[in-house]
Amino acid sequence: MKEKLILTADFIRYNIKIIFANKFIYFLIAAFAFFLMVTGIMLFSDSSPDEADIYRSLIFPGVLILFYPVIYNIQSDKDTRMLEILFGIPNYRYKVYLVRFALSLLLLLLMMCLMSWITVFAIIRISVFHMVYQLMYCLLFLASLAFLLATLIKNASGAAVVMVIIGLAFLILAEPLASSKWNIFLNPFNVPGDMSYSIWQNVLSQNRMMLVVGAVISILWSLINMQKRERFV
């Protein structure tokens, strides 16, 4: 049991090293810089921000934090010269990348909690856990989609370009679909004035269900694609 715990700890440590390798720190700094800039604007603004504003201000930093580790983790093995770790683990295609994906999401979750706590102290009192819970629906779907694109395109840079295009398309459609269940950026705290609360809750639950289903399908599809992992290297 002790040896298994040591191996598990080393396994997690090596994958965290890969996640933080190369340029991830720049994405993390950019996310915090954007968050602090928006927080400063809200702090000195004449209008009083609400939970809907806080939700919008946290989405973009969350996307920046998940972007690099999810898309580039496939090529990071070669870049950090850790391929021997993968090929020495039975069924590595599933174990390594599922754990690494989970570690990336855990990091994202912790950063979202931290930013939400900063918001509580600096701007407005909100329910941190409820805010992060709602944010993770959209971010989980985007992370899963990015991982799927990386396994389909088999090139991190190409997947990044496609993901940016898809993200821009979603942003363009966000306003026309502001109150629609098809809007992946649907703001749960921005209740439409012309819609009853019960209908809004139904729209919100359907939106969340579709995001979860889409994330699960993307992850499973990605793991199937990893059966041909050697083509990436």
Side-chain angles (χ1 to χ4, degrees):
M1 178 63 69
K2 184 178 179 181
E3 292 180 356
K4 289 183 178 180
L5 291 176
I6 294 175
L7 288 174
T8 301
D10 289 339
F11 175 66
I12 293 175
R13 180 166 57 86
Y14 288 141
N15 281 282
I16 290 177
K17 182 178 179 181
I18 292 174
I19 290 173
F20 279 93
N22 300 326
K23 303 179 180 65
F24 174 69
I25 188 64
Y26 300 114
F27 284 84
L28 191 60
I29 293 173
F32 267 96
F34 177 84
F35 169 72
L36 293 176
M37 180 185 68
V38 174
T39 300
I41 293 174
M42 289 184 179
L43 191 60
F44 296 102
S45 176
D46 294 333
S47 60
S48 299
D50 54 17
E51 289 183 314
D53 297 322
I54 302 303
Y55 182 89
R56 284 190 289 266
S57 70
L58 290 173
I59 279 288
F60 185 70
V63 172
L64 284 177
I65 293 172
L66 69 85
F67 191 82
Y68 185 87
V70 171
I71 289 183
Y72 284 88
N73 68 1
I74 295 176
Q75 292 190 182
S76 294
D77 303 313
K78 183 177 181 181
D79 297 337
T80 55
R81 299 179 181 178
M82 290 189 175
L83 287 175
E84 64 276 6
I85 297 176
L86 300 183
F87 290 101
I89 302 174
N91 296 322
Y92 69 86
R93 302 171 182 87
Y94 299 98
K95 294 181 180 179
V96 172
Y97 291 101
L98 193 57
V99 169
R100 194 178 298 172
F101 184 79
L103 289 173
S104 300
L105 290 180
L106 178 60
L107 173 64
L108 173 65
L109 179 66
L110 293 175
M111 292 298 102
M112 290 293 97
C113 288
L114 176 60
M115 291 181 181
S116 298
W117 278 113
I118 293 174
T119 299
V120 170
F121 289 109
I123 302 178
I124 184 176
R125 183 174 296 277
I126 59 173
S127 175
V128 171
F129 297 106
H130 182 59
M131 176 64 68
V132 174
Y133 169 76
Q134 294 294 345
L135 284 165
M136 289 306 294
Y137 279 104
C138 173
L139 296 176
L140 173 62
F141 173 76
L142 290 175
S144 305
L145 180 60
F147 187 35
L148 174 60
L149 288 174
T151 61
L152 288 173
I153 299 175
K154 299 181 175 63
N155 180 274
S157 299
V161 173
V162 175
M163 192 62 196
V164 168
I165 295 174
I166 293 176
L168 290 175
F170 282 142
L171 284 174
I172 293 172
L173 294 174
E175 186 173 350
L177 300 176
S179 303
S180 171
K181 63 182 180 180
W182 302 105
N183 181 14
I184 69 167
F185 295 108
L186 184 67
N187 193 330
F189 303 100
N190 188 20
V191 183
D194 58 347
M195 184 181 297
S196 67
Y197 185 75
S198 59
I199 295 178
W200 171 248
Q201 288 299 313
N202 185 44
V203 170
L204 186 61
S205 62
Q206 290 181 11
N207 173 264
R208 283 1 191 179
M209 180 62 68
M210 287 190 295
L211 290 178
V212 170
V213 171
V216 172
I217 292 175
S218 297
I219 293 173
L220 293 177
W221 192 350
S222 300
L223 293 177
I224 292 174
N225 292 337
M226 296 314 296
Q227 292 181 12
K228 299 178 180 179
R229 173 65 179 86
E230 291 78 4
R231 294 186 180 181
F232 290 85
V233 296

